Amino acid sequence: MLFGHQVSLLLILLLSIPLTYASDQQVQTSLSQLSLSLEQNPKQTLVKVDELNQLFIHPQPSSRFWFELKIIEVKAKTKLGHFMEAKQHLYELESYLPVMSTFKEAPAQIKLLQAQLAIKQSDINAGLLLLEQARNLVPKEHLTLRSDILHLLARALRYQANYSEAERVIKDAISLVAPIQDKARLAKYYNQLGVIYDYMGSLQLALRFHEKSLNIQRQLQNQQGISNSLYNIGEIYRDLEKYPQALQHFKQALEVDKALGDPIHIANSHGKLSQVHLQLGKISEALDHSQEGIKLARASGANSDLAWQLSILANIYVAQSALAQALSVAQEALELAIEAKAKRTEHTVRIVIIEIRLAQAQYKQALSEIEAVMALPGIGNSYRATLLKYQAQALQQLEEYKLAMLSLEAFIDTKTQLYHDLDKQQALTMQQNVEFIRQEQALKLIQNEQDLAKATLENLKLQRGMGASLLLCFMAVAIYIYKRQKQKQQFVELESDMMAESLAQKNRLLADVSHELRTPLAALKLTVEAMQHNIEPDPVKGFLKIQKKISHLDNLIKDIYQSAQFDNDAMVLDKQPVDVSILLKEIVEEFQPMYATKQQTLSFSEKVHDSICNLDAARIRQVIFNLLRNSHFYTSSSGKTQISMNVNEKGLTVKVEDSFPGVANEDLEKIFERLYRCEGSRSRDHGGSGLGLAICQQIIQAHKGEISASHSEMGGVAITLYIPHQSLLKSDS
C-alpha cells in the first residue's frame, strides 16, 4: 500500500509538469520502485505501469523513462503468463532500435527478454540462439546485464541436462556480481546453482546454496525469491525421503506463488505437491494437484512443463492400476517432451512407459522401448542400469535366458561404474567444499584489506601536512599488510594440509568401499557365468540367486550413501513426540516371527512412568532394527535376546543384549567403525553392509546421545544407547 501511494503521488507530480522537465531523480525513483514491485507483486506493477503509460500520448523511444517502462511491462507480462502481449511489446521495441542508439544495452536486453519468452514456452533451441546473440551485443561495461544473460543460459543448459556446463556458466555469472554486492542477483544465482547441484546429486552443496539464497531473499523481503528457495529446498527433502518437510515447503511455496500470480510457478508447485502425496500413498490428493498443474501448464503453452505434469499423472494412474490410461498420458507426455527438446523429462517419461509395458506383460514391446531409449545420446549410468535391469526381466519372461544373462552382465558392469562414479563424486564434493571455504576466507581477507586501505585514505586526508605522522602511518600499513599476507599464506597452507588429510581419509574409505562392492559383484558374476554356460541346472533358482545378490548390492550402496549423508550433514532429524514404549513393543512384535525360525526368544522389559520422548521415530526404529537384526543373525540357535528401556529425569536408555557367542575385547572398541570385521564367530557373513552399527552411532550422535558396546551377562554382546533429557525435549527439525 505504501508503494502504491508513493507511485500515485509521483504520477500526479509527473502529470502536472511537462515530461521533459521531470527530474532524473524523480524518474529514477519511479523506475526503482517499479523494479522492486515487479519481484513482489507483478499484478500491481502492471497496474502502475498502465497508469504511467498515460504520460505518453505517442511512443517516445528516445526517452530513457519510456524505454525502461516498456522493459518492466514486458517482464511483468512474462511473469504473469501473458506471453503474446509480451512478445508484441518486444517486436515494437526492436523496431525502434535505430532511434535508440544512445541506449547501448537495448539490443542485448531485448534479445535477453526474447530468449526468456522462448525458454518459458519450451523452445530451448530458439532461446539458446537468442542468448548467443545477446552475449555478442551486450557492452562489456554492463556487468549485471551480462550476468543475467549467463543466468538464463545456465537454466537453458540445465533443461538440456548439460549440468557441468550449466555449473560453469552460473559460476561466471556469480563472479560478475559478487564484487559489486548485488544481493538480489546473488540470491537468484545461488538458487540456480543449488538446483544444478541437486540434479548432479551433490545434495550438501545444493542445500548450502539454497539456504544462502533464502537468507538473502529474506533480507530483501523478496516473496518470489523466498518461494523459489522454499520450492527447491522442498525438492531436496523429497530426494532425502523427508516427505513431511517437503510437503510443508511446497505448500508454503504454492501460497506465495498464488499471491504473485505466475501460472508456471503455480503449476510447478502443484506438480511437486502431487509427487509428494503420491509417495505418501494419498492418491486422491495427488490427483487433485496433478489435474490443477496440468490445467495451468496447458493454458501457458509451455510443452516442457506440460510433459512433466503429464508424467506425474501417468505415475498416478500406474498406482491406480489404470495402465491403459497411464500409457495414453505417458505417450502424450513423450511427444511434448521431444517437441520441447526437454531431455531430462523425455528420459523420465520413457522409463515410465517401459514400466507400464512390463506391468501389461508386453515384454517384446518393452524390449523395443528399452533399445530405443538406450540408443539416445546423453543416457547416464543411472538410467542405463535401470534399463538393463528391465531388459533382463523382459528377456527372462520370454525365456531368452542367455540374452538375459548378457543383460545382467551389462547391468553389473554399469552398476559397478555407477558406484565408481559415486565414489569420485563424493571425493569431488569434498574438494569443492574445501575450495569454497578457502575462497570465502580469501574473499574476507581481501575485503578486510580494502576496508583497511579505505580507512588509511581517510586518515591521510585528516593528517595531511603532518609528515612524521604520515610516515608512521605508511609504516603501520606496510607492517599490517605484511602480517595479513603472512596470515593468509599460513591459512592457505593449513587448509591445504587439511584438504590433503581429508582426501587421504576419503581414499581409505573408498578403498574399503571398493573392496566391499567387489565381493558381492564377484559372486554375482560367477552365478551369471554359471547360468550362461548351463552349469546351473535350474534357471529359475539361478535368477533368484541373482536377484538376492542384486538386493545385497542395493542395500550396500544405500547404506554407504546414507552414511555419507550423515558425514556431510545432509541428514535432518524430524523430531516429534513419540511413545517409545509403544514403538519398541511394535518392533519386538515384528521381529518375533524371524526369531522363531531359529528357535530364539526375544523379550522386552521397561522401567518408566512416562515414555513420551521427542525423537525422530523413523531413525530410532532404524537403530533398533539394525541391533535386533544383528542379534538374530549372530546369536546361536535357541539363544536369547533381551531389550530393556528406562526413562528418567536424566534421559532415555535402551539396552539390547543377547546370549552366546560374544566378541573379543579389542573388537568391542572397534565395533562401530565402518566396514570393520570381527575375527570371531560374529564376523559378517550374512550379507550385511558392515555399516549398520556405524549408521546407528551416527543417528544416536545426531540426537546428541551416546551408544556403546560391552560384554553381556547373558554371554553375548550388550549395546546400550543413551539420549539425554535435554535433547529429548528440544526439537532439531
Side-chain angles (χ1 to χ4, degrees):
M1 291 300 293
L2 178 60
F3 166 73
H5 180 64
Q6 290 173 334
V7 172
S8 297
L9 289 176
L10 183 60
L11 178 59
I12 293 170
L13 177 62
L14 289 172
L15 287 171
S16 65
I17 58 177
L19 181 64
T20 53
Y21 293 101
S23 71
D24 290 341
Q25 185 177 2
Q26 290 169 337
V27 168
Q28 191 57 47
T29 300
S30 178
L31 293 173
S32 298
Q33 290 175 337
L34 283 171
S35 297
L36 178 63
S37 172
L38 182 64
E39 297 298 326
Q40 307 291 346
N41 193 336
K43 291 180 183 177
Q44 185 66 19
T45 302
L46 208 51
V47 172
K48 297 304 175 185
V49 167
D50 288 339
E51 292 177 3
L52 290 172
N53 273 331
Q54 302 304 313
L55 293 170
F56 303 98
I57 300 173
H58 302 291
Q60 295 187 21
S62 60
S63 164
R64 165 66 70 175
F65 182 54
W66 180 86
F67 172 70
E68 294 290 351
L69 201 59
K70 283 296 177 186
I71 292 296
I72 292 172
E73 185 175 6
V74 168
K75 290 180 178 179
K77 288 188 175 179
T78 301
K79 281 179 173 290
L80 295 171
H82 305 161
F83 298 142
M84 290 306 298
E85 294 177 42
K87 193 176 291 186
Q88 300 247 343
H89 286 309
L90 288 173
Y91 285 147
E92 180 186 3
L93 286 174
E94 205 166 27
S95 69
Y96 290 129
L97 279 176
V99 293
M100 291 194 295
S101 57
T102 55
F103 309 151
K104 293 182 180 180
E105 78 284 5
Q109 196 162 21
I110 292 170
K111 291 295 181 186
L112 171 61
L113 292 174
Q114 289 174 334
Q116 187 176 3
L117 270 172
I119 291 170
K120 277 266 190 180
Q121 295 181 294
S122 302
D123 194 346
I124 307 300
N125 284 348
L128 287 170
L129 181 61
L130 288 163
L131 286 171
E132 187 61 32
Q133 293 172 1
R135 291 180 75 178
N136 293 333
L137 292 170
V138 65
K140 291 184 179 180
E141 64 272 17
H142 284 267
L143 297 181
T144 55
L145 183 55
R146 283 171 57 200
S147 70
D148 287 341
I149 294 169
L150 291 173
H151 171 249
L152 189 58
L153 177 59
R155 174 174 293 181
L157 291 167
R158 194 189 86 205
Y159 289 158
Q160 291 189 320
N162 190 352
Y163 304 128
S164 58
E165 183 64 14
E167 178 193 11
R168 185 191 67 77
V169 169
I170 197 62
K171 283 184 176 179
D172 287 344
I174 291 172
S175 69
L176 290 175
V177 296
I180 60 175
Q181 286 296 298
D182 188 331
K183 290 187 175 182
R185 284 182 169 84
L186 273 177
K188 187 161 54 174
Y189 301 169
Y190 285 152
N191 183 68
Q192 178 77 268
L193 186 56
V195 173
I196 293 168
Y197 281 135
D198 184 10
Y199 286 178
M200 293 172 71
S202 301
L203 297 185
Q204 182 197 9
L205 283 173
L207 196 56
R208 172 189 291 183
F209 282 100
H210 285 317
E211 287 175 345
K212 289 176 77 168
S213 175
L214 183 58
N215 289 334
I216 298 174
Q217 299 290 17
R218 281 174 175 162
Q219 292 173 18
L220 300 174
Q221 296 183 344
N222 183 347
Q223 294 304 309
Q224 183 62 73
I226 291 171
S227 172
N228 292 342
S229 294
L230 289 171
Y231 176 95
N232 291 317
I233 293 171
E235 180 66 3
I236 292 176
Y237 278 127
R238 192 177 73 89
D239 291 340
L240 295 172
E241 299 182 0
K242 292 294 222 176
Y243 301 127
Q245 289 95 325
L247 205 60
Q248 183 180 6
H249 281 74
F250 289 140
K251 282 181 178 178
Q252 194 171 346
L254 178 60
E255 291 305 313
V256 178
D257 289 337
K258 284 181 176 179
L260 296 175
D262 188 324
I264 296 297
H265 286 164
I266 298 171
N268 288 343
S269 292
H270 276 298
K272 289 301 177 184
L273 283 167
S274 178
Q275 286 182 319
V276 175
H277 281 303
L278 179 60
Q279 287 161 321
L280 291 171
K282 298 178 179 179
I283 306 298
S284 177
E285 291 90 335
L287 189 58
D288 289 342
H289 283 291
S290 175
Q291 289 172 341
E292 192 63 30
I294 288 170
K295 183 173 71 174
L296 290 167
R298 282 195 192 280
S300 70
N303 287 346
S304 175
D305 292 283
L306 179 56
W308 176 70
Q309 296 283 351
L310 289 171
S311 73
I312 298 170
L313 181 59
N315 284 322
I316 294 172
Y317 283 143
V318 170
Q320 292 178 320
S321 299
L323 299 180
Q325 287 175 283
L327 185 59
S328 174
V329 170
Q331 287 173 336
E332 182 186 356
L334 181 60
E335 291 174 5
L336 292 167
I338 293 172
E339 184 180 342
K341 296 182 173 57
K343 297 298 182 184
R344 182 182 176 88
T345 304
E346 179 187 346
H347 297 164
T348 301
V349 174
R350 287 185 181 276
I351 293 290
V352 173
I353 291 174
I354 291 165
E355 291 169 350
I356 295 169
R357 298 293 189 193
L358 292 173
Q360 292 177 324
Q362 297 180 2
Y363 304 118
K364 290 184 178 180
Q365 186 66 29
L367 288 173
S368 176
E369 297 280 357
I370 290 167
E371 290 174 4
V373 178
M374 285 201 288
L376 293 173
I379 295 292
N381 281 335
S382 179
Y383 277 113
R384 190 171 296 279
T386 302
L387 291 167
L388 288 167
K389 184 168 70 173
Y390 288 158
Q391 188 178 57
Q393 290 176 7
L395 289 168
Q396 178 190 358
Q397 293 296 328
L398 293 171
E399 298 184 356
E400 298 283 353
Y401 295 121
K402 289 187 177 180
L403 293 176
M405 289 301 99
L406 293 174
S407 294
L408 281 171
E409 284 185 333
F411 167 79
I412 294 167
D413 292 340
T414 306
K415 272 283 188 181
T416 304
Q417 184 60 42
L418 187 62
Y419 299 151
H420 179 65
D421 291 344
L422 178 63
D423 292 341
K424 288 198 301 184
Q425 187 182 73
Q426 291 287 341
L428 179 61
T429 297
M430 188 193 67
Q431 289 176 323
Q432 288 174 326
N433 289 342
V434 175
E435 179 62 18
F436 274 118
I437 293 171
R438 187 195 67 75
Q439 289 177 355
E440 287 175 356
Q441 186 63 27
L443 181 60
K444 288 178 182 177
L445 290 172
I446 292 170
Q447 289 174 341
N448 288 341
E449 290 173 5
Q450 288 176 342
D451 292 341
L452 174 65
K454 184 178 179 181
T456 303
L457 181 60
E458 292 175 355
N459 188 52
L460 286 174
K461 290 179 180 178
L462 294 172
Q463 299 293 331
R464 185 175 297 165
M466 301 175 63
S469 298
L470 186 62
L471 180 60
L472 289 173
C473 188
F474 269 121
M475 290 176 64
V477 170
I479 292 170
Y480 183 82
I481 292 176
Y482 170 76
K483 288 183 176 179
R484 295 295 289 180
Q485 291 291 342
K486 192 173 182 180
Q487 288 174 353
K488 184 161 64 174
Q489 181 62 31
Q490 290 173 344
F491 173 80
V492 171
E493 291 174 357
L494 175 62
E495 194 153 45
S496 176
D497 293 341
M498 290 173 60
M499 186 170 70
E501 175 60 25
S502 297
L503 284 172
Q505 292 176 358
K506 188 70 177 180
N507 288 335
R508 287 195 295 271
L509 177 60
L510 293 180
D512 290 341
V513 168
S514 299
H515 176 75
E516 295 301 315
L517 290 172
R518 192 179 299 116
T519 302
L521 281 170
L524 182 57
K525 197 161 188 177
L526 284 173
T527 306
V528 171
E529 289 174 353
M531 293 187 68
Q532 190 174 7
H533 295 91
N534 297 322
I535 300 174
E536 173 61 57
D538 190 339
V540 175
K541 287 185 179 179
F543 270 105
L544 289 175
K545 290 179 184 178
I546 289 170
Q547 289 171 358
K548 185 176 179 181
K549 293 295 182 183
I550 290 173
S551 177
H552 179 196
L553 280 169
D554 285 341
N555 289 335
L556 179 59
I557 197 63
K558 182 178 179 181
D559 284 348
I560 292 169
Y561 177 65
Q562 189 178 78
S563 182
Q565 285 181 318
F566 277 110
D567 285 347
N568 293 332
D569 296 325
M571 192 66 68
V572 181
L573 295 180
D574 179 21
K575 288 189 176 182
Q576 302 289 341
V578 178
D579 191 325
V580 183
S581 176
I582 293 176
L583 177 66
L584 293 179
K585 288 175 182 176
E586 289 176 351
I587 297 173
V588 168
E589 186 177 347
E590 291 176 33
F591 270 86
Q592 291 290 4
M594 178 187 292
Y595 273 70
T597 61
K598 291 177 66 175
Q599 291 79 47
Q600 297 168 332
T601 59
L602 174 62
S603 58
F604 171 68
S605 64
E606 58 183 329
K607 184 179 179 182
V608 59
H609 296 294
D610 182 7
S611 59
I612 302 296
C613 300
N614 215 38
L615 300 166
D616 187 328
R619 295 299 174 195
I620 296 301
R621 174 182 286 270
Q622 184 181 356
V623 170
I624 303 301
F625 259 71
N626 275 336
L627 297 181
L628 289 182
R629 182 179 178 276
N630 282 353
S631 181
H632 166 69
F633 282 143
Y634 303 136
T635 303
S636 59
S637 297
S638 303
K640 297 180 180 179
T641 299
Q642 166 74 38
I643 303 180
S644 58
M645 181 187 75
N646 184 18
V647 180
N648 54 32
E649 66 279 359
K650 293 183 179 179
L652 166 68
T653 303
V654 177
K655 188 175 185 180
V656 179
E657 55 183 328
D658 54 37
S659 56
F660 181 85
V663 299
N665 289 330
E666 58 270 20
D667 289 328
L668 283 178
E669 297 175 0
K670 301 178 180 179
I671 201 168
F672 294 105
E673 293 181 9
R674 284 184 287 203
L675 307 174
Y676 180 71
R677 292 177 180 270
C678 296
E679 295 299 329
S681 58
R682 295 179 77 103
S683 63
R684 178 158 37 84
D685 56 359
H686 295 278
S689 67
L691 295 167
L693 289 178
I695 291 173
C696 289
Q697 184 182 56
Q698 289 170 315
I699 291 172
I700 297 303
Q701 288 176 347
H703 281 81
K704 312 300 182 188
E706 299 174 355
I707 187 169
S708 59
S710 61
H711 295 295
S712 168
E713 294 180 359
M714 298 167 63
V717 177
I719 305 292
T720 304
L721 63 92
Y722 167 73
I723 302 177
H725 185 62
Q726 183 178 3
S727 177
L728 293 175
L729 295 176
K730 191 174 182 180
S731 175
D732 295 338
S733 60

